[in-house]
Amino acid sequence: MTTSFAGASVPIAKDSSIPTVPSSFSGLKSASTSLLLCKRPQLFRSSAATQHPSLIRAVSTPVKPDAPVEQKRSKVEIIKEHSNFIRYPLNEELLTDAPNINESAIQLIKFHGSYQQYNRDERGGRSYSFMLRTKNPCGKVSNQLYLAMDDLADEFGIGTLRLTTRQTFQLHGVLKKDLKTVMSTIIKSMGSTLGACGDLNRNVLAPAAPIHRKDYLFAQETAENIAALLTPQSGFYYDMWVDGEKVMSAEPPEVVKARNDNSHGTNFTDSPEPIYGTQFLPRKFKIAVTIPGDNSVDLFTNDIGVVVVSDANGEPQGFNIYVGGGMGRTHRMENTFPRLAEPLGYVPKEDILYAVKAIVVTQRENGRRDDRRYSRMKYLISSWGIEKFRTVVEGYYGKKFKPCHELPKWEFESYLGWHEQGDGELFCGLHVDSGRIKGAMKTTLREVIEKYNLNVRITPNQNIILCDIRQAWKRPITTVLAQGGLLQPRYVDPLNVTAMACPAMPLCPLAIAEAERGIPDILKRVRAVFEKVGLKYKESVVIRITGCPNGCARPYMAELGLVGDGPNSYQFWLGGTPNQTTLATVFKEKVKIHDLEKVLEPLFYHWKRKRLAKESFGEFTNRMGKEKMLELVDKWEGIPQGPSQYNLKLFADKETYEKVDAIAKLQDKSAQQLAMEIIRNFVASNQNGKIE
């Protein structure tokens, strides 16, 4: 079953794909009498739930007074409950001399924005370190914070910074003994890692471009307000890293008002965490905000997608809201799946914080807490259906949602290159392969950002934007950037521009195949196949690679997604589209990396010859269908011989072409004409194998 909206084709999973929640599961209710538990509102019960109890699978089950039933809960739920709001035993583990922390502390430090890791390339023991992830709504990074992160990477990390697909930094290789120093430095540099990981709202995405236009500015302001609304309030983060000193700016009054409002039973009363309570959310929660047409944020992959709706004069009036997106899945478990968000409804602009809060509370109260594989909100919506979900959310919101407004077609925006900001200054988007800032690039960026006192923004495509550049600075900055390998987009291979990869090996404990380290070679091999089958240099496909099925680089939205399913082995996913509105599907499994060309050559050959006008690779594979595409691969015997074999490709690389083209222009010829003329003259001068 699919539904279409705003140019998007969205598959909706059937109820039968979600395992029925065990009868012992009862939502958020605790079987414990722990003093840490706080008062919570009575669950909202919809009329639909009363009339059709058999349809309810992932909600709180009423407990009979005479027969209390202890619910099944995951280990993480118990750890959270006994943690004194994400403090214990992490606070004690950080004081030990061991290089690592125990399992309970590992789960808790995620809420603080860190993961414990070890280098899987090393043999003979584990060398533990920690990855820190910042939280930067809209990808905004101040000059002060960028320079601090750059310093920390050199002094306490592995000498690199990584830009993530959620507009944040990742800092790898921090030792346990240095955690407090690094964390406190980030906090005092007006940064934060609070909630960058863990069972709560993650970084809120928004278009990174610093365009001074009402809708863009309003989208970014809304993203920042949502991030503030859903930031933990109990102080555990500051207690742990800066001895309780809160280093933060004042919140907008509308955020404070929305957080404190309990007119519809959303809040835990008398709790230091009015929205999250002791248990926080069942799993991670992701939100993105954008404007119509700009899908730089991969809107439909989020738990909540928010789109600014403006009037004819460009004045923001309200928001379309989409719910239920998510990428993570588990191999060989068909009842786990990636899913696109679907329309929930429209709200006026003054209600957005209340609507978002109502959605979060619905997930808090009804998302599964017994099996973390099914705890994301996408499974709740797939089980309930959107109508029931909307009804429950409306109970917490206190109003009915209006139908979503019609929107224009979505497009992917990279914002690479030089652009006007609209305030007299410029911004410059720079491509960073897999988001890894290192070596000469890192040195050059530091030099430019520090010299010109620039703020920066991180994009959801792992790139970086330099902001607020004066017109007079454009030429010298362009020169310095080029010397550091940061080229303008016309000099970057189109395949690289849209490609993404997760870090995977050697530090990610979940990786089962290479991603970031493997993608450079894979992209070169794809380019070679393009040349072999006659595809032009400017043509491209969206390629995303992950080392496991969790989908951090969103491979299930790619035209060609490679998902690690074993050592040097990948699942191939086909069918995403360049504007990220269609979900890919599994094409082949267990494809060894050395067999890459055996699969890609027939696919790209037939796309070149059988596509419709302006038909992307993803659109082509969807039109042809999986069975037909498999047949083309299985029967492939190489590029057919015939007249086409004499259609020679004269230039194997761009550099040679550009040199020949420059000479040809002096003679008022094309590069092709000059090359053929040289070849004919050479052949004519070669008689009987001898060159005269």
Side-chain angles (χ1 to χ4, degrees), residues 408-419:
K409 184 179 179 181
W410 293 101
E411 298 292 342
F412 168 74
E413 303 285 354
S414 72
Y415 296 111
L416 296 179
W418 288 93
H419 303 269

Side-chain angles (χ1 to χ4, degrees), residues 17 126 474 646:
S17 64
R126 293 188 175 184
K474 179 178 178 180
Y646 300 111

